[in-house]
Amino acid sequence: MITEVVAAHSRILGQDSQFPAYVYDLDALGEHARQIRSALSAPGAPEIFYAAKANPDPAFLQTVAPFVHGFEVASGGELEHVLAAVPGARIAFGGPGKTDAELRAALELRVERFHVESPHELKRLAALSRSIGGADVLLRVNLAGDRSGVALAMTGPFGMDPDLITACEGVLASAPWLRLRGIHAHLASGLDAAAMLRQGEEILAWARSWLAAAGVTDAEINLGGGMAVDYSAPDNVFDWQAYGEGVSKLAQAGETLRIEPGRAVAVYAGWYVTDVLDVKRAHGEWYAVLRGGTMQIRTPVTKNHNHPFTILPGSNTDGPSVEEQPVTFVGQLCTPKDVFARNVPVNRIGVGDVVAFSMSGAYAWNISHHDFLMHPKPGFHYLNRNASNQLR
Ligand SMILES: *Cc1c(COP(=O)(O)O)cnc(C)c1O
């Protein structure tokens, strides 16, 4: 799965081996974000806050900005970074372990919503916001429901179980300058549209009853992110249309619903492109050694999967090659964990060929341990029809 512009650009980079490189198709990103927004445009559809941690590259933030309502940030660093890239953006500030310094900065920068993770955090927010007119709060709930089959269950330390949420009632009563707006939940990642809707119903049922008892009117309910992407079948894209229609049906008048997807927005717009340095056989298995490694794209290691790729044949046919064999793709790190994909059958691969790993637009470069072994950093290339028109 590679777009024509990315393939063409990769061939240009291949002429003098400007690898490894991240190639970002910003037109594809904008078009994808536009489609998501249009699938979520019926009455009752949720507002979209892009989760910046999936890919906070300023070009990504600016490309999705016209199609989202705001951004979800999970640290003081992301907060400053997003506001520098998209001045005036609406911000929801979540994440565990917020420090006083981060809360203070968020109050000064007029963050729109605080997603509060614990009664202690709520107390500190109350103290810090008292003299400046308070803060708008969503309590993050961690519901116990069955999360089997998900890619990642956000159980454990995240948010508050219903008992702990109850402990917030006293804090709120003693700090009337805190405005309780609603409930936030981000319970799992890797759910398809049907599973996401079932989880949404579960969140809404709990949140509505708790918020009604707490006397909150015009409630806001944030249903979280975690929309599935399928690395083993890149064309199997989350069904935003079905999800949008489903959420609109669940919505009740007077409520504001919100979601905060990251991966499913950004992942398809990035490629990690590099070339083959060596091909060899060891103990009966074939290996292609690529320039770079998983210190620059940690995704296949964290997800323990075969990262999807396209091979673009190179012009150099001097070096070793292999045909019609399963091949393991490794990088330049001195560790057996440096594997992009294991035992994947290929037609042919040889030294000088270019390998473009698709689905590298989210949780790829920005979660990687770049400095391990001190290889040169990848180049970054932003393909954007509008920008190139401006250059002409
Ligand atoms: C990471 C995160 C998201 C985004 O999750 P995706 O799987 O990238 O959609 C949303 N909300 C919270 C609270 C998160 O921690």
Side-chain angles (χ1 to χ4, degrees):
M1 196 185 64
I2 188 163
T3 63
E4 255 170 55
V5 284
V6 172
H9 193 78
S10 299
R11 288 197 186 92
I12 294 170
L13 295 176
Q15 287 165 8
D16 46 2
S17 189
Q18 293 182 57
F19 298 123
Y22 270 93
V23 181
Y24 292 137
D25 187 339
L26 297 181
D27 291 327
L29 176 64
E31 176 56 21
H32 186 52
R34 192 191 61 74
Q35 285 176 11
I36 292 172
R37 176 62 176 266
S38 112
L40 301 182
S41 55
E47 293 184 341
I48 308 163
F49 276 50
Y50 171 64
K53 79 168 187 286
N55 190 338
D57 189 305
F60 272 55
L61 300 175
Q62 288 160 359
T63 301
V64 304
F67 308 107
V68 299
H69 299 80
F71 295 86
E72 190 261 353
V73 303
S75 74
E78 281 189 356
L79 170 61
E80 281 188 30
H81 173 83
V82 169
L83 284 175
V86 186
R90 294 173 61 192
I91 304 277
F93 182 22
K98 299 182 195 71
T99 65
D100 280 359
E102 288 178 312
L103 291 175
R104 226 178 266 121
L107 287 163
E108 270 163 29
L109 292 168
R110 306 247 168 263
V111 154
E112 185 174 301
R113 293 293 180 268
F114 288 83
H115 295 164
V116 172
E117 295 259 341
S118 77
H120 179 58
E121 184 176 299
L122 188 64
K123 272 183 212 155
R124 292 187 295 116
L125 184 61
L128 292 167
S129 66
R130 178 169 198 170
S131 62
I132 56 167
D136 295 280
V137 168
L138 269 60
L139 300 180
R140 179 173 182 181
V141 71
N142 177 340
L143 296 175
D146 178 17
R147 310 278 161 240
S148 49
V150 304
L152 206 62
M154 303 299 292
T155 50
F158 300 104
M160 295 173 267
D161 66 20
D163 288 345
L164 202 57
I165 291 252
T166 305
C168 292
E169 289 168 4
V171 184
L172 291 165
S174 66
W177 56 93
L178 287 181
R179 292 171 294 276
L180 174 63
R181 298 287 191 179
I183 290 291
H184 168 256
H186 171 67
L187 301 181
S189 79
L191 287 82
D192 65 15
M196 201 78 202
L197 286 167
R198 283 195 298 276
Q199 181 183 271
E201 277 185 88
E202 176 191 351
I203 295 166
L204 288 171
W206 187 88
R208 281 172 183 150
S209 100
W210 190 85
L211 288 166
V216 175
T217 52
D218 303 331
E220 298 176 11
I221 301 168
N222 187 320
L223 302 171
M227 290 70 182
V229 316
D230 189 345
Y231 291 93
S232 66
D235 293 334
N236 182 16
V237 172
F238 186 82
D239 190 344
W240 288 101
Q241 203 65 42
Y243 182 68
E245 285 163 18
V247 177
S248 292
K249 278 189 202 133
L250 295 176
Q252 289 179 359
E255 282 176 344
T256 301
L257 303 184
R258 213 167 273 146
I259 56 169
E260 44 188 28
R263 191 188 303 267
V265 175
V267 74
Y268 303 104
W271 285 258
Y272 179 75
V273 188
T274 190
D275 55 353
V276 179
L277 300 175
D278 206 348
V279 172
K280 62 183 174 183
R281 190 174 182 178
H283 296 294
E285 306 218 354
W286 283 96
Y287 293 89
V289 182
L290 309 187
R291 194 187 307 268
T294 56
M295 72 293 198
Q296 298 176 347
I297 172 169
R298 204 165 164 238
T299 328
V301 176
T302 53
K303 298 205 70 87
N304 193 23
H305 69 192
N306 288 341
H307 209 83
F309 61 83
T310 304
I311 297 171
L312 306 170
S315 47
N316 173 3
T317 48
D318 295 345
S321 64
V322 57
E323 285 179 27
E324 308 293 343
Q325 289 289 332
V327 173
T328 293
F329 292 71
V330 300
Q332 292 175 294
L333 294 184
C334 310
T335 158
K337 293 181 179 175
D338 189 21
V339 176
F340 297 100
R342 202 178 290 278
N343 285 326
V344 181
V346 300
N347 293 334
R348 180 191 181 279
I349 190 156
V351 167
D353 285 350
V354 172
V355 182
F357 291 96
S358 56
M359 298 184 78
S360 303
Y363 303 103
W365 168 249
N366 69 307
I367 63 161
S368 301
H369 42 301
H370 321 143
D371 291 329
F372 187 39
L373 259 78
M374 303 179 77
H375 285 290
K377 297 288 189 292
F380 288 83
H381 303 266
Y382 302 88
L383 308 184
N384 179 342
R385 216 178 313 113
N386 296 332
S388 51
N389 287 346
Q390 281 160 17
L391 287 176
R392 261 179 237 142

